[in-house]
Amino acid sequence: MHVISAALASKDFYLAVVTKVLAVVVAGLVVRFSRGPIIRYGRTLIKSGPEWLERAVGRQADRLYPSWRIKTGMRRRQVRLEWRFRTVRRLLRKRCGYYILGGVYLDLLVRPVGVTKLEDKEYSNLDRVLCSWGGSACYVGSYLYENFGKKSYLYSKIGGLGILSTELKKLLGREPWIKRGRYGSGDPDVQSGVSIHLKQKDSSFRTTFTHKGVLEGLDWDPVLRKLVKKTGRGGVLHISGYFRTGLHQQLCDSLQCLSPNLIVCIDHGRFLPEDHAKSAQVLLEAFSRQLIDVYISTPPELDRLMALADVQVDENLSTAEKVKTYAQRPNLLPRVTVVRGEVTAESVTSHVVVDGCLLAPVTVEPGLPASRDVPGKNNAFNAALAYHLANGDPDEPMVDLVRGAVDGALRSWVETVGR
């Protein structure tokens, strides 16, 4: 204690402390005003070293300062997709980075419905009405966990009006696949999204009535800052339910802010062209600027979107011929487009476009069972595709990587629906 007291009383001690503080301040000012030359010199020095050094520095920079690539001028569109696939596959060996953005609903499943046309009658032959969470965003996350053991970050919006909104929040709070959920402030004057499924007695088809509710106000403002911070380490972002939300607002500017280490996938789902022309044009602009890496669609959905892009094709053409026509238009589709094509009990086929080139169809046998009308089961394909794109050999050529991922997604889809 005497030695410590003597040291504190010494002028040399205070002089040393002040000198060190001044040194830190001066160093900070030098870095602040000369950061451009320092960054350029440091980048040149790191790139001249071994490859492992560059990867290590990049990973630590993403962890400490997620937006450093944007601040230093390296934006997402300046990073090649091959680099992104390679980086994400390396990162996900040790980290779980799955992020899902889209609409969530409270699903009410009513069955069996014995009429195909509504009548002014009352029936009392229903099974127990099932109540659960729903929406493609939830199904993708659920299948990622069920089939691959991967938890996800979920970004959506839940209202605060009524017991249905309360029930939806409770149901999501019990789900083990949600690593962390961000659902907004819960507007007390707006109801959460609700979907009512009327399923036929013979399971031949299902009629769905949807109330979007608070999801119409789901945009990038409340989630972008959290996404930028959380996704700095890299991973996969899956956007779903695009046309039922407000995600078209500031879409391109928001995607531009995300980490270069992030694979961005989108499946917009079914939509009516006459109701969503503006949203579709914004999405097509994001495609042309290569802000979306992977586009997942079905033939009817793709045809509707391409019609809004003024691409006219013969309706009698096969799905493959239509997709080939779309692919030939420069900057119309993202670098990777996956179309779930023919679906039968004998086989399922996907058509894949990489860099404007239609690859040979990817087919898996046998296909889906005849009775497959289960809400959300098609999202098992999307979940498996996200998983396989992000896991595997980092140095695999991109065409082989995409074909292998699609093949794995088809097999997982068939297996899930067949359970």
Side-chain angles (χ1 to χ4, degrees):
M1 291 295 295
H2 177 72
V3 174
I4 296 175
S5 300
L8 291 175
S10 171
K11 293 183 179 180
D12 293 339
F13 171 78
Y14 292 105
L15 183 61
V17 170
V18 172
T19 302
K20 290 178 180 179
V21 170
L22 289 176
V24 170
V25 171
V26 171
L29 291 174
V30 170
V31 171
R32 175 65 180 84
F33 293 106
S34 305
R35 60 181 178 179
I38 291 175
I39 289 173
R40 287 193 294 270
Y41 178 75
R43 184 182 300 170
T44 302
L45 185 64
I46 292 171
K47 286 184 174 295
S48 63
E51 185 179 354
W52 64 263
L53 177 62
E54 182 180 354
R55 294 199 304 267
V57 172
R59 285 197 297 268
Q60 293 305 317
D62 284 330
R63 172 181 292 183
L64 298 174
Y65 187 24
S67 59
W68 72 274
R69 298 178 189 272
I70 297 169
K71 298 296 184 182
T72 56
M74 185 188 293
R75 294 182 178 271
R76 291 192 69 255
R77 57 195 172 98
Q78 294 175 312
V79 178
R80 291 179 60 80
L81 185 55
E82 293 87 344
W83 180 91
R84 187 146 43 247
F85 279 132
R86 186 167 61 250
T87 300
V88 169
R89 284 190 161 193
R90 284 171 176 155
L91 289 172
L92 289 189
R93 287 178 174 179
K94 297 182 179 179
R95 300 188 183 98
C96 180
Y98 295 95
Y99 310 90
I100 303 172
L101 172 62
V104 299
Y105 297 84
L106 183 71
D107 272 8
L108 301 176
L109 179 61
V110 180
R111 59 165 304 187
V113 177
V115 294
T116 58
K117 183 178 180 181
L118 297 180
E119 300 174 313
D120 186 17
K121 293 182 180 180
E122 182 177 348
Y123 299 89
S124 58
N125 60 344
L126 293 178
D127 290 343
R128 181 170 61 93
V129 177
L130 300 178
C131 175
S132 67
W133 49 257
S136 54
C138 284
Y139 287 119
V140 170
S142 177
Y143 285 124
L144 267 170
Y145 184 72
E146 179 182 335
N147 295 335
F148 306 103
K150 300 297 184 181
K151 293 187 177 183
S152 305
Y153 295 88
L154 177 62
Y155 299 85
S156 187
K157 199 166 188 178
I158 295 179
L161 180 64
I163 60 174
L164 295 181
S165 298
T166 303
E167 182 65 18
L168 176 57
K169 191 169 185 178
K170 286 182 180 178
L171 290 171
L172 291 175
R174 300 173 189 154
E175 285 304 304
W177 60 268
I178 300 177
K179 194 169 187 177
R180 181 168 296 176
R182 302 286 189 180
Y183 312 122
S185 57
D187 192 328
D189 299 322
V190 185
Q191 191 179 52
S192 293
V194 177
S195 288
I196 302 174
H197 304 271
L198 306 179
K199 190 169 183 178
Q200 291 295 307
K201 184 184 298 185
D202 59 359
S203 297
S204 58
F205 68 90
R206 170 172 38 94
T207 303
T208 303
F209 295 90
T210 298
H211 167 60
K212 293 185 288 187
V214 74
L215 292 176
E216 285 187 301
L218 173 60
D219 55 28
W220 292 90
D221 281 343
V223 301
L224 182 59
R225 187 162 56 91
K226 294 182 177 67
L227 269 174
V228 169
K229 181 179 180 180
K230 185 60 66 176
T231 61
R233 298 181 181 181
V236 181
L237 170 65
H238 187 283
I239 302 173
S240 61
Y242 170 79
F243 286 112
R244 297 186 180 184
T245 65
L247 291 174
H248 63 281
Q249 301 176 35
Q250 304 297 320
L251 175 66
C252 293
D253 291 342
S254 300
L255 291 174
Q256 188 71 70
C257 292
L258 298 178
S259 169
N261 298 343
L262 196 66
I263 299 172
V264 178
C265 307
I266 188 168
D267 181 353
H268 53 62
R270 290 177 290 182
F271 73 103
L272 296 176
E274 59 271 20
D275 293 340
H276 302 95
K278 181 180 178 181
S279 301
Q281 293 301 327
V282 174
L283 182 61
L284 290 168
E285 181 184 355
F287 285 176
S288 67
R289 294 172 58 179
Q290 296 186 6
L291 296 174
I292 292 173
D293 302 316
V294 181
Y295 171 40
I296 309 167
S297 184
T298 63
E301 294 164 5
L302 180 62
D303 290 341
R304 293 188 185 103
L305 186 63
M306 293 298 98
L308 292 175
D310 296 327
V311 180
Q312 305 297 326
V313 296
D314 187 350
E315 291 297 326
N316 296 321
L317 293 177
S318 66
T319 298
E321 292 171 325
K322 289 181 180 179
V323 174
K324 185 176 181 179
T325 301
Y326 302 145
Q328 290 173 344
R329 288 281 296 270
N331 297 321
L332 181 61
L333 295 174
R335 292 192 62 188
V336 176
T337 297
V338 180
V339 182
R340 296 195 304 268
E342 287 70 23
V343 179
T344 66
E346 289 74 32
S347 65
V348 290
T349 298
S350 278
H351 303 284
V352 183
V353 175
V354 177
D355 289 333
C357 178
L358 178 64
L359 308 182
V362 180
T363 302
V364 168
E365 298 177 354
L368 296 176
S371 178
R372 63 180 195 280
D373 186 28
V374 178
K377 285 277 185 168
N378 290 343
N379 289 283
F381 176 89
N382 292 22
L385 183 64
Y387 174 81
H388 288 296
L389 286 174
N391 290 272
D393 181 6
D395 298 316
E396 187 177 12
M398 191 170 78
V399 171
D400 297 338
L401 181 155
V402 173
R403 283 186 59 85
V406 173
D407 181 84
L410 287 176
R411 295 182 187 279
S412 180
W413 185 27
V414 170
E415 181 182 351
T416 301
V417 175
R419 290 172 187 167

